């Protein structure tokens, strides 16, 4: 049965760029055909002949206290600025709808600014490090400052991040979880990003000239924001509408970590899929805002792809990067704003600096000046390292095109895999729960070199970082710190990953690949040339590819021009999921959500939507963490974090117990495979569980006295999950929490569950499996889901290991021994360190 999609419109924009730091100045700069790419004094200190588009104007934040501004990085401040302007533009400031408004934040250079002084020999700003040193922190602060409570995701697909975020926002509104989503992309220019592209010889020797003259790109900095809203909501509010989003697609080349597939197959596929999802023909596209970086590899592949998809006629196209450079994660949303302020005025943006087209370019490039021409339906494309592709189709005239539809699917889990201290594979995981053996190991390290696998000498060279670690971490007089960790159990990587050169994989990629292989085996499927377009992945991350990040940053000190070229693409967060796609040949839907703790639950939710809306047949979803001890300890010291367990007692990690000493750090990867129920039944697959509903909400009380707390946000998420599942709380047979064993986090979760379910919670068995395998920051949510599925299969709920008594009355905490019980419906809940909350209901097949 076909389900009509909701019409999604854009009702607000915010922009901050080198051309202009607000919408009016930005628009005027565009209309003046003003290129602001110029010689860069900042980067010419380290390299020769550097060009970039810098924001040179002073940006004011009158709504924020000066001391708070000094503690935040530009990723956060710029994201807040454009988000605020977009909300103002959409007439939403002060509206109660902000309490349910979601956000999708696209970033790439997040968590970089507070580390830069180590490279330049200056003091590290410890308050800024504490606030913004984690990758997902900027999104948490932006949404809190703006008072948004509908939950957020951090989209980390490099140069497609904000375009991808637009697609995720489009999907989020389709399931009636919210009427409005704020999309933000924020990208200041930092030395590591510039150094990476420069050392790869990707930069132009002057302002870039996409598709013409000498090849090369120019980078720029800036931020942009858009408010997406259901058409019905916008009409009811009577607000102006910029455009309607008709559909989108995302995919992966599965070709190379830096180069696009040279024949443009990935770009061809994503444009074709976007047209299909929007239910519109290529002949309707009247303008294409292309990726157009100016490099030979990009422009050649993009030319080939456009000629394949639009073979019948030469569609006018242009690259906005010639105005203000390549804005990396913010490129998509900033270029979209450029379209929205010019196309309604019947003006098509040009490609500046255009001279003679290169020999392989036979496109209808709008060169150097605007064309006065009416455009309704247009396409926006962006591509990224790792082969991540995004294509978005929009119309200026709202409701001028038929609304698309989809076959709504029931979503089931037909494959599961993991690697952790319990072993590799689902059966090893279940055995680990049953045997309840301690799988942690004792660690001793010097504060100056906390992790032999990925030493952070470059951070501890800063005296104030080292001083904070000495002050806030319980090291002995010799500077030795003793604690326990859960490391991945030894396994034969070459046996599991046949044909893969595992020596080239950093731990996080190795673990993700191992989990992927065991998930595929569990699902009874193989990936080949005939079906590779049918498989996609959404991966949740927290600290991300920390080994590559450590190696990359360390190589910049003391000479940035000596940066390791091999580590730059591997240090990008999307390198893990796109790397898995490349190894396995998966060309379908692919994205990375770097939202922090329990990011795997966000990945599960998005993958569920992709299958529910019949966008992709098979989706892998979960999270992955490698041991990042050095950086983790720095962040614990910077924030004076007391939630980490530094005790030698192996039983001291006991979630929800009054005497819990906090969590034991862990590395792990866990994935499940989603597919439509009718597909699974048709191929005779074993169905482990069905997802019946989810909820997503976030705390907004950090800067707002009247904002919702973490517990209130979790309660909101739980109610949304139950509503979609059409369940009453009393029908649940089990609750599985994911709290990390600190009193503050445990109480936030328990109170949220009690608010969401009411007094009936006292009759529902409550468990949490983190103390079996440690707290793996992003993966723990998915690992706990595996524990729930084990309970459904075996009618046994394993206890909260080590815990004796619940610190809050009114809960049926499963302790000390397994409990026999038939589990038909279970609720999995979790939150990240900033109160971004998830709830997922699963049922027994």
């Amino acid at each position: 049965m076909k389900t009509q999609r909701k019409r999604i419109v854009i009702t607000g924009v915010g922009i901050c760029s080198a051309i202009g730091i607000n919408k009016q100045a930005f628009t005027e700069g565009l209309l003046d055909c003003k290129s602001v790419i110029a010689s860069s004094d900042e980067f010419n200190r380290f390299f020769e002949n550097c060009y970039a588009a810098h924001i040179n104007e002073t940006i004011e934040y009158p709504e924020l206290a000066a001391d708070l501004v000094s503690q935040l990085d530009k990723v956060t401040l710029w994201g807040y600025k454009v988000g605020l302007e977009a909300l103002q533009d959409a007439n939403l400031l002060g509206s109660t709808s902000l309490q349910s408004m979601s956000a999708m934040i696209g970033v790439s250079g997040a968590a970089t600014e507070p580390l830069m002084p180590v490279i330049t020999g200056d003091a590290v700003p410890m308050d800024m490090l504490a606030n913004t040193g984690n990758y997902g922190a900027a999104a948490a602060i932006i949404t809190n400052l703006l008072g948004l409570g509908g939950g957020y995701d951090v989209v980390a697909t490099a140069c497609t991040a904000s375009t991808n975020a637009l697609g995720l926002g489009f999907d989020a509104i389709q399931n009636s979880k919210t009427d409005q989503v704020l999309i933000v992309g924020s990208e200041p220019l930092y030395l590591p990003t510039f150094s990476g592209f420069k050392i790869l010889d990707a930069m132009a020797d002057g302002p870039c000239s996409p598709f013409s003259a000498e090849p090369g790109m120019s980078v720029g900095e800036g931020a942009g924001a858009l408010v997406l809203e259901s058409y019905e909501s916008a009409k009811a509010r009577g607000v102006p509408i910029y455009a309607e989003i008709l559909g989108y697609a995302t995919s992966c080349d599965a070709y190379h970590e830096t180069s696009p597939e040279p024949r443009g197959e990935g770009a061809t596929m994503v444009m074709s899929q976007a047209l299909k999802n929007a239910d519109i023909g290529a002949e309707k596209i009247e303008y294409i805002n292309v990726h157009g970086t100016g490099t030979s590899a990009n422009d050649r592949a993009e030319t080939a792809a456009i000629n394949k998809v639009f073979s019948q006629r030469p569609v006018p196209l242009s690259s906005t990067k010639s105005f203000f450079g390549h804005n990396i994660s913010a490129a998509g949303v900033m270029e979209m704003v450029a379209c929205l302020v010019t196309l309604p005025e019947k003006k098509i943006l040009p490609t500046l600096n255009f001279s003679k087209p290169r020999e392989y370019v036979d496109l209808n490039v709008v060169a150097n000046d605007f064309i006065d021409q009416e455009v309704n339906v247009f396409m926006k494309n962006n591509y990224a390292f790792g082969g991540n592709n995004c294509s978005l189709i929009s119309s200026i005239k709202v409701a001028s095109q038929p609304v698309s539809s989809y076959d709504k699917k029931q979503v089931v889990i037909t494959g599961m895999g993991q690697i952790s201290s319990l072993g590799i594979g689902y059966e090893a995981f279940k055995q680990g729960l049953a045997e309840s053996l301690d799988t942690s190991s004792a660690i001793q390290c010097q504060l100056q070199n906390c992790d032999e696998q990925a030493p952070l000498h470059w951070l501890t060279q800063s005296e104030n970082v080292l001083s904070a670690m000495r002050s806030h971490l319980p090291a002995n007089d010799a500077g030795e710190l003793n604690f326990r960790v859960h490391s991945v159990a030894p396994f034969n990587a070459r046996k599991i990953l046949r044909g893969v050169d595992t020596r080239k994989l950093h731990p996080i990629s190795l673990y993700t690949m191992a989990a992927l292989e065991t998930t595929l085996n569990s699902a009874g499927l193989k990936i080949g040339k005939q079906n590779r377009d049918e498989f996609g992945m959404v991966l949740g991350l927290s600290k991300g590819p920390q080994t590559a990040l450590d190696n990359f940053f360390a190589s910049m000190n003391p000479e940035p021009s000596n940066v390791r070229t091999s580590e730059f693409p591997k240090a990008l967060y999307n390198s893990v999921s796109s790397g898995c796609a490349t190894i396995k040949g998966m060309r379908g839907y692919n994205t990375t959500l770097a939202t922090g703790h329990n990011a795997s639950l966000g990945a599960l939710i998005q993958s569920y939507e992709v299958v529910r809306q019949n966008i992709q047949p098979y989706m892998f979803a979960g999270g992955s963490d490698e041991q990042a001890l050095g950086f983790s300890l720095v962040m614990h010291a910077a924030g004076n974090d007391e939630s980490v367990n530094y005790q030698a007692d192996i039983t001291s990690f006991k979630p929800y117990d009054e005497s819990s000493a906090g969590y034991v750090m862990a590395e792990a990867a866990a994935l499940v495979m989603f597919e439509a129920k009718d597909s699974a039944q048709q191929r005779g697959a074993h169905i482990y569980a069905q997802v019946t509903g989810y909820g997503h909400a976030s705390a907004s009380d950090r800067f707002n006295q009247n904002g919702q707390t973490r517990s209130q946000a979790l309660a909101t998420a739980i109610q949304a999950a139950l509503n979609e599942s059409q369940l009453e709380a009393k029908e649940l047979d089990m609750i599985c929490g994911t709290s990390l064993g600190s009193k503050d986090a445990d109480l936030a979760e328990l109170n949220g569950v009690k608010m969401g379910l009411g007094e009936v919670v006292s009759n529902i068995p409550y468990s949490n499996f983190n103390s079996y395998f440690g707290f793996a920051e992003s993966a723990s949510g998915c690992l706990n889901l595996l524990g729930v599925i084990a309970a459904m299969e075996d009618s046994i709920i394993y206890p909260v290991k080590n815990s004796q008594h619940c610190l809050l009355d009114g809960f049926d905490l499963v302790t000390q021994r397994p409990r026999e019980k038939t589990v038909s419906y279970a609720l999995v809940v979790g939150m990240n360190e900033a109160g971004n909350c998830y709830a997922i209901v699963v049922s027994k097949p």
Side-chain angles (χ1 to χ4, degrees):
M1 181 179 176
K2 290 285 187 181
T3 299
Q4 274 201 338
R5 283 194 171 90
K6 294 182 179 181
R7 292 192 184 275
I8 309 300
V9 296
I10 298 170
T11 56
V13 306
I15 190 71
C16 181
S17 84
I19 285 183
I21 60 172
N22 54 52
K23 187 176 74 169
Q24 180 179 344
F26 179 73
T27 304
E28 290 172 355
L30 291 174
L31 294 176
D32 287 343
C33 291
K34 176 181 175 183
S35 176
V36 290
I37 302 166
S39 181
S40 171
D41 292 340
E42 179 178 346
F43 299 129
N44 278 327
R45 294 167 52 199
F46 307 103
F47 301 94
E48 293 182 357
N49 205 23
C50 298
Y51 282 77
H54 291 285
I55 294 177
N56 296 316
E57 294 182 69
T58 300
I59 301 174
E60 304 289 344
Y61 308 96
E63 306 85 3
L64 304 181
D67 61 337
L68 176 60
V69 172
S70 69
Q71 296 173 24
L72 301 179
D73 63 356
K74 286 188 287 189
V75 172
T76 307
L77 290 169
W78 292 1
Y80 162 74
K81 175 191 182 299
V82 296
L84 181 68
E85 290 176 0
L87 294 177
Q88 288 174 327
D89 195 33
N91 196 27
L92 283 168
L93 282 186
S95 169
T96 57
S97 65
L98 296 183
Q99 297 171 10
S100 61
M101 189 175 188
S102 300
M104 301 291 174
I105 316 289
V107 294
S108 183
T112 299
E113 188 171 331
L115 309 180
M116 286 298 90
V118 181
I119 294 174
T120 56
D122 299 315
V124 170
M126 296 305 293
D127 287 339
M128 184 187 293
L129 180 62
N131 282 322
T132 65
N134 281 322
Y135 200 86
I141 297 172
I142 290 167
T143 54
N144 255 277
L145 285 170
L146 297 174
L148 309 186
Y152 63 87
D153 279 307
V154 180
V155 188
T157 53
C159 306
T160 62
S162 57
T163 325
N164 202 336
L166 280 161
L168 299 186
F170 178 86
D171 283 342
I173 298 175
Q174 299 300 334
N175 203 358
S176 301
K177 303 292 183 181
T178 181
D179 278 327
Q180 295 136 349
V181 179
L182 178 67
I183 311 300
V184 174
S186 183
E187 191 72 34
L189 262 182
Y190 297 122
L191 181 59
T193 301
F194 189 92
S195 299
F197 284 117
K198 185 71 173 178
I199 211 72
L200 286 172
D201 200 26
M203 296 294 198
D205 290 332
C208 68
S209 176
F211 302 107
S212 74
E214 290 298 314
M217 65 182 284
S218 301
V219 290
E221 60 183 358
L226 296 171
V227 173
L228 303 190
E229 185 168 359
S230 70
Y231 182 39
E232 294 305 315
S233 170
K235 280 199 305 182
R237 295 196 306 115
V239 293
I241 294 172
Y242 285 91
E244 177 183 356
I245 296 180
L246 303 177
Y248 85 103
T250 180
S251 71
C252 187
D253 279 2
Y255 176 73
H256 190 267
E257 63 183 9
T258 59
S259 299
E261 200 286 322
R263 294 167 296 181
E265 289 187 1
T268 300
M269 176 181 167
V270 79
M271 286 188 283
S272 300
Q273 190 63 45
L275 290 167
K276 178 182 177 183
N277 292 344
D279 196 17
I280 199 168
E283 71 281 357
K284 289 291 186 73
I285 303 298
E286 299 165 89
Y287 165 67
I288 308 170
N289 188 274
V290 297
H291 190 52
T293 61
T295 66
S296 178
N298 175 91
D299 293 0
R300 188 182 295 271
E302 197 163 10
T303 295
I306 290 169
N307 281 330
K308 289 175 184 176
V309 177
F310 300 97
S311 59
Q312 301 303 311
R313 61 192 177 91
V315 181
L317 57 87
S318 61
S319 170
T320 325
K321 291 176 177 65
S322 56
F323 283 82
F324 44 77
H326 186 358
N327 304 114
I328 318 299
S329 67
V333 68
M334 291 178 67
E335 292 162 5
M336 190 68 175
V337 173
C339 294
L340 296 177
V341 297
T342 55
L343 291 178
E345 304 304 316
K346 300 181 181 180
K347 291 184 176 294
I348 297 181
L349 287 153
T351 300
L352 300 183
N353 312 319
F354 194 89
S355 56
K356 181 181 179 181
R358 296 181 206 144
E359 60 180 10
Y360 52 81
V361 176
D362 54 346
L363 300 173
N364 186 10
V365 179
V366 179
N368 299 320
D369 206 351
F370 281 87
I371 291 178
D372 293 326
Q373 182 175 314
E374 185 173 3
V375 167
N376 182 24
V377 182
F378 67 100
M379 177 181 278
K380 170 83 209 84
N381 296 332
N382 288 104
Y383 312 112
F385 272 13
N388 281 125
N389 308 308
C390 275
S391 183
L392 191 78
I393 299 173
S394 306
S395 62
I396 298 299
K397 298 176 182 177
V398 179
S400 63
Q401 305 300 313
V403 68
S404 62
S405 60
Y406 62 94
D407 292 316
K408 182 179 176 181
K409 299 294 184 180
Q410 292 181 305
V411 183
V412 296
I413 296 171
T414 55
M416 298 183 293
Q418 65 86 44
I419 183 168
S420 65
S421 64
L422 301 183
I424 184 169
Y426 175 57
E427 293 304 321
F429 177 82
K430 286 211 300 183
Q431 183 177 347
L433 296 184
E435 293 179 352
S436 192
L437 300 176
D438 178 63
T439 55
S440 66
S441 55
I443 292 286
Q444 182 185 82
C445 68
Q446 290 284 339
L447 293 185
Q448 290 91 334
N449 181 10
C450 300
D451 183 1
E452 292 181 1
Q453 184 181 24
L456 294 180
H457 291 294
W458 60 279
L459 275 178
T460 53
Q461 285 178 23
S462 171
E463 184 56 39
N464 57 335
V465 169
L466 196 54
S467 176
M469 295 178 78
R470 288 169 176 158
S471 298
H472 299 307
L473 300 181
N476 60 27
D477 292 340
E480 296 168 339
L481 189 65
N482 297 282
F483 53 97
R484 304 189 71 82
V485 299
H486 281 269
S487 299
V488 161
F491 71 105
N492 188 331
R494 292 187 178 183
K495 183 178 179 181
I496 299 295
L497 306 176
R498 295 186 184 278
V500 177
D501 188 352
T502 57
R503 296 170 300 176
K504 295 182 178 180
L505 299 180
H506 286 315
I508 193 168
S509 295
L510 181 64
Y511 302 158
T512 311
M513 275 302 305
L516 177 59
E517 284 292 343
T518 56
T519 304
L520 262 175
N521 291 338
S522 170
L525 288 171
K526 292 183 178 181
I527 300 173
K529 287 186 177 181
Q530 299 301 317
N531 67 352
R532 61 181 180 169
D533 296 348
E534 298 176 1
F535 292 86
M537 174 183 277
V538 180
L539 188 66
L541 298 178
S542 182
K543 294 291 191 297
Q546 199 62 48
T547 299
L549 283 162
D550 292 344
N551 292 343
F552 178 61
F553 276 95
S555 72
M556 297 183 66
N557 192 8
E559 181 49 63
S561 62
N562 291 333
V563 66
R564 293 185 188 177
T565 56
S566 61
E567 297 294 352
F568 176 50
K570 291 182 174 63
L572 299 173
Y573 270 57
N574 66 317
S575 66
V576 185
S577 61
S578 64
C580 289
T582 299
I583 290 171
K584 296 302 295 181
M586 298 187 297
R587 302 199 307 178
Y589 195 106
N590 189 287
T591 195
T592 301
L593 302 179
T595 318
H597 293 184
N598 283 315
S600 59
L601 296 180
L604 293 171
I605 286 172
Q606 181 55 31
S607 294
Y608 166 83
E609 275 301 321
V610 171
V611 176
R612 188 188 75 87
Q613 295 184 41
N614 200 27
I615 296 170
Q616 190 80 46
Y618 307 114
M619 286 297 299
F620 298 104
S624 187
D625 305 275
E626 65 183 23
Q627 211 68 270
L629 297 181
F631 184 67
S632 294
L633 293 174
V634 168
M635 290 305 299
H636 297 159
N640 197 16
D641 183 359
E642 298 180 353
S643 63
V644 184
N645 190 325
Y646 293 108
Q647 294 192 14
D649 180 5
I650 62 175
T651 67
S652 59
F653 181 16
K654 47 181 80 173
Y656 314 122
D657 195 291
E658 184 73 41
S659 62
S660 179
Y663 70 91
V664 176
M665 291 182 281
E667 60 181 2
L671 295 171
V672 300
M673 194 186 84
F674 288 142
E675 68 176 295
K677 186 175 182 179
D678 55 1
S679 165
Q681 291 173 332
Q682 187 174 4
R683 70 180 184 88
H686 178 72
I687 298 177
Y688 292 94
Q690 180 169 338
V691 178
T692 59
Y694 71 87
H696 193 190
S698 53
S700 57
D701 63 337
R702 181 173 174 182
F703 306 104
N704 305 283
Q705 287 186 341
N706 297 322
Q708 68 179 353
T709 66
R710 290 178 293 168
S711 297
Q712 290 169 332
L714 182 57
T716 299
I718 289 170
Q719 283 297 316
L722 290 175
N723 289 342
E724 184 181 357
S725 302
Q726 298 183 338
L727 277 181
E728 294 184 30
K730 64 182 180 182
E731 295 179 83
L732 292 171
D733 302 302
M734 176 185 179
I735 303 165
C736 182
T738 57
S739 187
L740 46 74
S742 72
K743 188 171 183 179
D744 179 61
D746 289 351
L747 285 173
E749 181 184 288
L750 291 171
N751 281 316
V753 171
K754 181 171 281 190
M755 288 180 192
L757 299 180
E759 295 304 318
V760 71
V761 74
S762 62
N763 300 319
I764 306 172
Y766 200 124
S767 194
N768 177 322
F769 306 111
N770 283 334
S771 45
Y772 291 83
F773 42 76
F775 185 68
E777 292 187 2
S778 69
S780 278
C782 191
L783 285 166
N784 275 277
L785 173 62
L786 300 192
V788 168
I789 293 172
M792 288 180 168
E793 283 193 320
D794 301 335
S795 298
I796 295 175
I797 302 175
Y798 291 101
V800 184
K801 187 177 178 180
N802 304 326
S803 298
Q804 302 293 321
H805 306 287
C806 188
L807 58 83
L808 196 64
D809 291 336
F811 287 87
D812 183 15
L813 199 66
V814 181
T815 60
Q816 301 185 46
R817 62 182 61 86
R819 183 182 301 182
E820 294 186 5
K821 180 176 176 60
T822 299
V823 179
S824 297
Y825 290 98
L827 173 69
V828 181
V829 298
M831 66 177 68
N832 77 353
E833 55 270 51
N836 192 39
C837 300
Y838 312 93
I840 300 175
V841 175
V842 292
S843 69
K844 190 174 183 176

